[in-house]
Amino acid sequence: MTRRILTIDGGGMRGVFSAAVIEQMELINGDKPANEIFDCFCGTSAGSLIAAGLANGMRAREIKELFLTVAKQSGDLVAEGASSANSLTPAEKRQAATTALETMLKTVFGKKRPSDLRRDLRRSRAKRPGVRDSYLAVPARDMATGKVVFFGNFPPDPGGEPSFWSNTEVDEDEPLWKIVRRSSALPPMFAPSGAFLDGGISPFANPTYAAYVGVKRRLGWNPADDELRFYSVGTGYHTPRTHGLAALDDEQMYGLMISAMMQDINFLQHQVMKRRDDEEGDRVWYKRFNISFDQRGFDRFKLGTRTADEFEELSQTGSQQVEELARIGTVVGKQSVHADDFR
């Protein structure tokens, strides 16, 4: 049996790029929703919102529009209240952003729980035989234990678990909005969620290898019996300009360090999965859908010329170029997603 696993990186507002790429995956499959195409969704930070939304039956275009709406609302608030916003302390700004995030997540997911995803699918399958499994896993950094915890609807590991699939004492059947909130608690933008910080503060900002281990150990999907096909969607990457390091304040320096770390992790995860693809042949298939925000990357997809400052702005976690990122994701998706990927 062929099992399809969709993984989505973290990247803040750049998640709109990922949603636009996945929209092309839905279109090339006859405009089916993702939960009729994929068996498993694994996403980190912004990717956790996309993964949970898709597993919950949302269309990629709806999630893309959600990013666009959030960006517009944020821009309006900044324009209307710039003077008052400037009077807020960093902690007050962080709390305001956190409140807005939680309100949005509650609106999107309501009272839906991870266990509801498979219950809904069982009901849907009776009406629509094409509906596939819908497993979900999203990581968060548990600062109380120093480990990465994966939330979702995966069953317990029957044979003992690797450290990065640790159990936690919290209720495993909490609302979807809450587990997405934990995976999206990126400092300094958002406040921690209890003891949890953003899942991107881990080796799994790109969660593809974690998904590979999870489906093998917890779901028993073995390449000897099942063809495992991994579709890894990035949020774009960029090598920050490093001139003028001495002039950066602490917050800017921390942001640069996190960005560099996440880029290195993405590269490592990509290399690990390519090795799995090479070693296990046709039984493990892996493809990465991403773009480098530099002229070489834009030339590859015939996206025209940009200045260094424009590339820098596109690459920011809180980038305001959301409509442009969505357009870029659509172009990349149209050129990268092929019918043969879903044979």
Side-chain angles (χ1 to χ4, degrees), residues 105-145:
L105 293 176
K106 290 175 183 177
T107 300
V108 170
F109 294 111
K111 297 181 179 180
K112 188 63 68 72
R113 301 170 300 173
S115 61
D116 293 331
L117 300 178
R118 292 182 56 72
R119 186 178 303 118
D120 290 349
L121 277 175
R122 286 195 295 271
R123 294 169 181 163
S124 297
R125 193 171 283 119
K127 301 177 182 178
R128 306 199 316 272
V131 175
R132 301 171 74 93
D133 288 330
S134 190
Y135 287 103
L136 172 70
V138 303
R141 166 69 71 178
D142 185 351
M143 299 301 288
T145 64

CSV table of all heavy atoms in Angstrom, one decimal, residues 105-145:
chain,number,residue,atom,x,y,z
A,105,LEU,N,-6.8,31.1,16.4
A,105,LEU,CA,-6.8,29.6,16.4
A,105,LEU,C,-8.1,29.0,16.9
A,105,LEU,O,-8.6,28.0,16.4
A,105,LEU,CB,-5.7,29.1,17.2
A,105,LEU,CG,-4.3,29.4,16.7
A,105,LEU,CD1,-3.2,28.9,17.7
A,105,LEU,CD2,-4.0,28.7,15.4
A,106,LYS,N,-8.7,29.7,17.9
A,106,LYS,CA,-10.0,29.2,18.4
A,106,LYS,C,-11.1,29.4,17.4
A,106,LYS,O,-12.0,28.5,17.3
A,106,LYS,CB,-10.4,30.0,19.7
A,106,LYS,CG,-9.5,29.7,20.9
A,106,LYS,CD,-9.9,30.6,22.1
A,106,LYS,CE,-8.9,30.3,23.2
A,106,LYS,NZ,-9.2,31.3,24.4
A,107,THR,N,-11.0,30.4,16.6
A,107,THR,CA,-12.0,30.6,15.5
A,107,THR,C,-11.9,29.5,14.4
A,107,THR,O,-12.9,29.0,13.9
A,107,THR,CB,-11.8,32.0,14.9
A,107,THR,OG1,-12.0,33.0,15.9
A,107,THR,CG2,-12.8,32.2,13.8
A,108,VAL,N,-10.6,29.2,14.1
A,108,VAL,CA,-10.4,28.2,13.0
A,108,VAL,C,-10.8,26.8,13.5
A,108,VAL,O,-11.4,26.1,12.7
A,108,VAL,CB,-8.9,28.3,12.6
A,108,VAL,CG1,-8.6,27.1,11.7
A,108,VAL,CG2,-8.6,29.6,11.9
A,109,PHE,N,-10.4,26.4,14.7
A,109,PHE,CA,-10.5,25.0,15.1
A,109,PHE,C,-11.7,24.8,16.0
A,109,PHE,O,-12.1,23.6,16.2
A,109,PHE,CB,-9.2,24.5,15.7
A,109,PHE,CG,-8.1,24.5,14.8
A,109,PHE,CD1,-7.0,25.4,14.9
A,109,PHE,CD2,-8.1,23.6,13.7
A,109,PHE,CE1,-6.0,25.3,14.0
A,109,PHE,CE2,-7.0,23.5,12.8
A,109,PHE,CZ,-6.0,24.4,13.0
A,110,GLY,N,-12.3,25.8,16.6
A,110,GLY,CA,-13.4,25.6,17.6
A,110,GLY,C,-13.0,24.6,18.7
A,110,GLY,O,-11.9,24.8,19.3
A,111,LYS,N,-13.9,23.7,18.9
A,111,LYS,CA,-13.6,22.7,20.0
A,111,LYS,C,-13.1,21.3,19.4
A,111,LYS,O,-13.0,20.4,20.2
A,111,LYS,CB,-14.9,22.4,20.7
A,111,LYS,CG,-15.5,23.6,21.5
A,111,LYS,CD,-16.7,23.3,22.2
A,111,LYS,CE,-17.2,24.5,23.0
A,111,LYS,NZ,-18.5,24.2,23.7
A,112,LYS,N,-12.7,21.3,18.2
A,112,LYS,CA,-12.2,20.1,17.5
A,112,LYS,C,-10.9,19.6,18.3
A,112,LYS,O,-10.1,20.4,18.6
A,112,LYS,CB,-11.9,20.3,16.1
A,112,LYS,CG,-11.5,19.1,15.3
A,112,LYS,CD,-12.7,18.2,15.2
A,112,LYS,CE,-13.9,18.7,14.4
A,112,LYS,NZ,-13.6,18.7,13.0
A,113,ARG,N,-10.9,18.3,18.4
A,113,ARG,CA,-9.7,17.6,19.1
A,113,ARG,C,-9.0,16.7,18.1
A,113,ARG,O,-9.6,16.3,17.1
A,113,ARG,CB,-10.2,16.8,20.3
A,113,ARG,CG,-10.9,17.7,21.4
A,113,ARG,CD,-11.6,16.8,22.4
A,113,ARG,NE,-12.6,15.9,21.8
A,113,ARG,CZ,-13.2,14.9,22.4
A,113,ARG,NH1,-13.0,14.7,23.7
A,113,ARG,NH2,-14.1,14.1,21.8
A,114,PRO,N,-7.8,16.3,18.4
A,114,PRO,CA,-7.1,15.4,17.5
A,114,PRO,C,-7.8,14.1,17.3
A,114,PRO,O,-7.8,13.6,16.2
A,114,PRO,CB,-5.7,15.2,18.2
A,114,PRO,CG,-5.5,16.4,18.9
A,114,PRO,CD,-6.9,16.9,19.4
A,115,SER,N,-8.4,13.6,18.3
A,115,SER,CA,-9.1,12.3,18.2
A,115,SER,C,-10.4,12.4,17.3
A,115,SER,O,-10.8,11.4,16.7
A,115,SER,CB,-9.6,11.8,19.6
A,115,SER,OG,-10.5,12.7,20.2
A,116,ASP,N,-10.9,13.7,17.1
A,116,ASP,CA,-12.0,13.9,16.3
A,116,ASP,C,-11.7,13.7,14.8
A,116,ASP,O,-12.6,13.4,14.0
A,116,ASP,CB,-12.6,15.3,16.5
A,116,ASP,CG,-13.2,15.5,17.8
A,116,ASP,OD1,-13.7,14.5,18.4
A,116,ASP,OD2,-13.2,16.6,18.3
A,117,LEU,N,-10.4,13.9,14.5
A,117,LEU,CA,-10.0,13.9,13.0
A,117,LEU,C,-10.3,12.5,12.4
A,117,LEU,O,-10.9,12.4,11.4
A,117,LEU,CB,-8.5,14.2,12.9
A,117,LEU,CG,-8.1,15.6,13.4
A,117,LEU,CD1,-6.6,15.7,13.2
A,117,LEU,CD2,-8.9,16.7,12.6
A,118,ARG,N,-9.9,11.4,13.1
A,118,ARG,CA,-10.1,10.1,12.6
A,118,ARG,C,-11.6,9.7,12.7
A,118,ARG,O,-12.1,8.9,11.9
A,118,ARG,CB,-9.2,9.1,13.3
A,118,ARG,CG,-7.7,9.4,13.0
A,118,ARG,CD,-6.8,8.4,13.6
A,118,ARG,NE,-7.1,7.0,13.3
A,118,ARG,CZ,-6.9,6.4,12.1
A,118,ARG,NH1,-6.4,7.1,11.1
A,118,ARG,NH2,-7.2,5.2,11.9
A,119,ARG,N,-12.3,10.1,13.8
A,119,ARG,CA,-13.7,9.8,13.9
A,119,ARG,C,-14.5,10.5,12.7
A,119,ARG,O,-15.3,9.8,12.1
A,119,ARG,CB,-14.2,10.4,15.2
A,119,ARG,CG,-15.6,10.0,15.5
A,119,ARG,CD,-16.1,10.5,16.9
A,119,ARG,NE,-15.2,10.0,17.9
A,119,ARG,CZ,-14.5,10.8,18.7
A,119,ARG,NH1,-14.5,12.1,18.5
A,119,ARG,NH2,-13.7,10.3,19.7
A,120,ASP,N,-14.1,11.7,12.4
A,120,ASP,CA,-14.8,12.4,11.3
A,120,ASP,C,-14.5,11.6,10.0
A,120,ASP,O,-15.3,11.5,9.1
A,120,ASP,CB,-14.2,13.8,11.1
A,120,ASP,CG,-14.7,14.7,12.2
A,120,ASP,OD1,-15.6,14.3,13.0
A,120,ASP,OD2,-14.2,15.8,12.4
A,121,LEU,N,-13.2,11.1,9.8
A,121,LEU,CA,-12.9,10.4,8.6
A,121,LEU,C,-13.6,9.1,8.5
A,121,LEU,O,-14.0,8.7,7.4
A,121,LEU,CB,-11.4,10.1,8.6
A,121,LEU,CG,-10.5,11.3,8.1
A,121,LEU,CD1,-9.0,10.9,8.3
A,121,LEU,CD2,-10.8,11.6,6.7
A,122,ARG,N,-13.8,8.4,9.6
A,122,ARG,CA,-14.6,7.2,9.5
A,122,ARG,C,-16.0,7.4,9.0
A,122,ARG,O,-16.5,6.6,8.2
A,122,ARG,CB,-14.6,6.5,10.8
A,122,ARG,CG,-13.3,5.8,11.2
A,122,ARG,CD,-13.5,4.9,12.4
A,122,ARG,NE,-13.9,5.5,13.6
A,122,ARG,CZ,-13.1,6.0,14.5
A,122,ARG,NH1,-11.8,5.9,14.3
A,122,ARG,NH2,-13.5,6.6,15.6
A,123,ARG,N,-16.6,8.5,9.4
A,123,ARG,CA,-17.9,8.9,8.9
A,123,ARG,C,-17.9,9.3,7.5
A,123,ARG,O,-18.7,8.9,6.7
A,123,ARG,CB,-18.5,10.0,9.8
A,123,ARG,CG,-18.7,9.7,11.2
A,123,ARG,CD,-19.0,10.9,12.0
A,123,ARG,NE,-19.2,10.6,13.4
A,123,ARG,CZ,-19.2,11.5,14.4
A,123,ARG,NH1,-18.9,12.7,14.2
A,123,ARG,NH2,-19.4,11.1,15.7
A,124,SER,N,-16.8,10.0,7.1
A,124,SER,CA,-16.7,10.5,5.7
A,124,SER,C,-16.4,9.4,4.8
A,124,SER,O,-16.9,9.4,3.6
A,124,SER,CB,-15.6,11.5,5.6
A,124,SER,OG,-15.9,12.7,6.4
A,125,ARG,N,-15.7,8.4,5.2
A,125,ARG,CA,-15.3,7.3,4.3
A,125,ARG,C,-16.5,6.5,3.9
A,125,ARG,O,-16.5,5.9,2.8
A,125,ARG,CB,-14.2,6.4,5.0
A,125,ARG,CG,-13.5,5.4,4.1
A,125,ARG,CD,-12.4,4.7,4.8
A,125,ARG,NE,-11.2,5.6,4.9
A,125,ARG,CZ,-10.7,5.9,6.1
A,125,ARG,NH1,-11.2,5.5,7.2
A,125,ARG,NH2,-9.6,6.7,6.1
A,126,ALA,N,-17.5,6.4,4.7
A,126,ALA,CA,-18.7,5.7,4.3
A,126,ALA,C,-19.4,6.4,3.2
A,126,ALA,O,-20.0,5.7,2.3
A,126,ALA,CB,-19.7,5.7,5.5
A,127,LYS,N,-19.2,7.7,3.1
A,127,LYS,CA,-19.8,8.5,2.0
A,127,LYS,C,-18.9,8.7,0.8
A,127,LYS,O,-19.3,8.7,-0.3
A,127,LYS,CB,-20.3,9.8,2.5
A,127,LYS,CG,-21.3,9.8,3.6
A,127,LYS,CD,-21.7,11.2,4.1
A,127,LYS,CE,-22.7,11.1,5.3
A,127,LYS,NZ,-23.0,12.4,5.8
A,128,ARG,N,-17.6,8.9,1.2
A,128,ARG,CA,-16.5,9.1,0.1
A,128,ARG,C,-15.4,8.1,0.3
A,128,ARG,O,-14.5,8.4,1.1
A,128,ARG,CB,-16.0,10.6,0.3
A,128,ARG,CG,-17.1,11.6,0.3
A,128,ARG,CD,-16.5,13.0,-0.1
A,128,ARG,NE,-15.3,13.3,0.6
A,128,ARG,CZ,-15.2,13.9,1.8
A,128,ARG,NH1,-16.3,14.1,2.5
A,128,ARG,NH2,-14.1,14.2,2.4
A,129,PRO,N,-15.4,7.0,-0.4
A,129,PRO,CA,-14.4,6.0,-0.3
A,129,PRO,C,-13.0,6.5,-0.5
A,129,PRO,O,-12.0,5.8,0.0
A,129,PRO,CB,-14.8,4.9,-1.3
A,129,PRO,CG,-16.3,5.2,-1.6
A,129,PRO,CD,-16.5,6.7,-1.4
A,130,GLY,N,-12.8,7.6,-1.2
A,130,GLY,CA,-11.4,8.1,-1.4
A,130,GLY,C,-10.7,8.7,-0.2
A,130,GLY,O,-9.5,8.9,-0.3
A,131,VAL,N,-11.4,8.9,0.8
A,131,VAL,CA,-10.8,9.6,2.0
A,131,VAL,C,-9.8,8.6,2.6
A,131,VAL,O,-10.0,7.5,2.8
A,131,VAL,CB,-11.9,9.9,3.1
A,131,VAL,CG1,-11.3,10.5,4.3
A,131,VAL,CG2,-12.9,11.0,2.5
A,132,ARG,N,-8.6,9.2,2.9
A,132,ARG,CA,-7.5,8.4,3.5
A,132,ARG,C,-7.4,8.6,5.0
A,132,ARG,O,-8.3,9.2,5.6
A,132,ARG,CB,-6.2,8.8,2.8
A,132,ARG,CG,-6.2,8.7,1.3
A,132,ARG,CD,-5.0,9.3,0.6
A,132,ARG,NE,-3.8,8.5,0.8
A,132,ARG,CZ,-3.4,7.6,-0.1
A,132,ARG,NH1,-4.1,7.3,-1.1
A,132,ARG,NH2,-2.3,6.9,0.2
A,133,ASP,N,-6.4,7.9,5.6
A,133,ASP,CA,-6.2,8.1,7.0
A,133,ASP,C,-5.8,9.6,7.2
A,133,ASP,O,-5.4,10.3,6.3
A,133,ASP,CB,-5.0,7.3,7.5
A,133,ASP,CG,-5.4,5.8,7.5
A,133,ASP,OD1,-6.6,5.5,7.8
A,133,ASP,OD2,-4.5,4.9,7.3
A,134,SER,N,-5.9,10.0,8.5
A,134,SER,CA,-5.6,11.4,8.8
A,134,SER,C,-4.9,11.5,10.1
A,134,SER,O,-5.5,11.9,11.1
A,134,SER,CB,-6.8,12.3,8.8
A,134,SER,OG,-6.5,13.7,8.8
A,135,TYR,N,-3.6,11.1,10.1
A,135,TYR,CA,-2.8,11.2,11.3
A,135,TYR,C,-2.1,12.6,11.4
A,135,TYR,O,-1.8,13.1,10.3
A,135,TYR,CB,-1.7,10.1,11.3
A,135,TYR,CG,-2.3,8.7,11.6
A,135,TYR,CD1,-2.5,7.8,10.6
A,135,TYR,CD2,-2.7,8.4,12.9
A,135,TYR,CE1,-3.0,6.5,10.9
A,135,TYR,CE2,-3.2,7.1,13.2
A,135,TYR,CZ,-3.4,6.2,12.2
A,135,TYR,OH,-3.9,5.0,12.5
A,136,LEU,N,-2.0,13.1,12.6
A,136,LEU,CA,-1.4,14.4,12.7
A,136,LEU,C,-0.4,14.4,13.9
A,136,LEU,O,-0.6,13.8,14.9
A,136,LEU,CB,-2.5,15.4,13.1
A,136,LEU,CG,-2.1,16.8,13.5
A,136,LEU,CD1,-1.6,17.6,12.3
A,136,LEU,CD2,-3.3,17.6,14.2
A,137,ALA,N,0.7,15.1,13.6
A,137,ALA,CA,1.7,15.3,14.7
A,137,ALA,C,2.3,16.7,14.6
A,137,ALA,O,2.7,17.1,13.5
A,137,ALA,CB,2.8,14.2,14.6
A,138,VAL,N,2.4,17.4,15.7
A,138,VAL,CA,3.0,18.7,15.7
A,138,VAL,C,3.9,18.8,16.9
A,138,VAL,O,3.6,18.4,18.0
A,138,VAL,CB,2.0,19.9,15.7
A,138,VAL,CG1,1.1,19.8,14.5
A,138,VAL,CG2,1.2,19.9,17.0
A,139,PRO,N,5.2,19.3,16.7
A,139,PRO,CA,6.1,19.3,17.9
A,139,PRO,C,6.1,20.7,18.6
A,139,PRO,O,5.8,21.7,18.0
A,139,PRO,CB,7.5,19.2,17.2
A,139,PRO,CG,7.3,19.8,15.8
A,139,PRO,CD,5.8,19.6,15.5
A,140,ALA,N,6.4,20.6,19.9
A,140,ALA,CA,6.7,21.8,20.7
A,140,ALA,C,7.8,21.5,21.6
A,140,ALA,O,8.1,20.3,22.0
A,140,ALA,CB,5.4,22.1,21.5
A,141,ARG,N,8.5,22.5,22.0
A,141,ARG,CA,9.7,22.3,22.9
A,141,ARG,C,9.2,22.4,24.4
A,141,ARG,O,8.7,23.4,24.8
A,141,ARG,CB,10.7,23.4,22.7
A,141,ARG,CG,11.8,23.6,23.8
A,141,ARG,CD,12.7,22.4,23.8
A,141,ARG,NE,13.6,22.4,22.7
A,141,ARG,CZ,14.6,21.4,22.6
A,141,ARG,NH1,14.7,20.5,23.5
A,141,ARG,NH2,15.4,21.5,21.5
A,142,ASP,N,9.3,21.3,25.1
A,142,ASP,CA,8.8,21.3,26.5
A,142,ASP,C,10.0,21.7,27.4
A,142,ASP,O,11.0,20.9,27.6
A,142,ASP,CB,8.4,19.9,26.9
A,142,ASP,CG,7.8,19.8,28.3
A,142,ASP,OD1,8.0,20.8,29.1
A,142,ASP,OD2,7.3,18.7,28.7
A,143,MET,N,10.0,22.9,27.9
A,143,MET,CA,11.1,23.5,28.6
A,143,MET,C,11.2,22.9,30.0
A,143,MET,O,12.2,22.9,30.7
A,143,MET,CB,11.0,25.0,28.7
A,143,MET,CG,11.0,25.7,27.4
A,143,MET,SD,12.6,25.3,26.5
A,143,MET,CE,13.8,26.3,27.4
A,144,ALA,N,10.1,22.2,30.5
A,144,ALA,CA,10.1,21.6,31.8
A,144,ALA,C,11.0,20.3,31.8
A,144,ALA,O,11.6,20.0,32.8
A,144,ALA,CB,8.7,21.3,32.3
A,145,THR,N,11.0,19.6,30.7
A,145,THR,CA,11.7,18.4,30.6
A,145,THR,C,12.9,18.5,29.7
A,145,THR,O,13.8,17.6,29.7
A,145,THR,CB,10.8,17.3,30.0
A,145,THR,OG1,10.4,17.6,28.7
A,145,THR,CG2,9.6,17.1,30.9
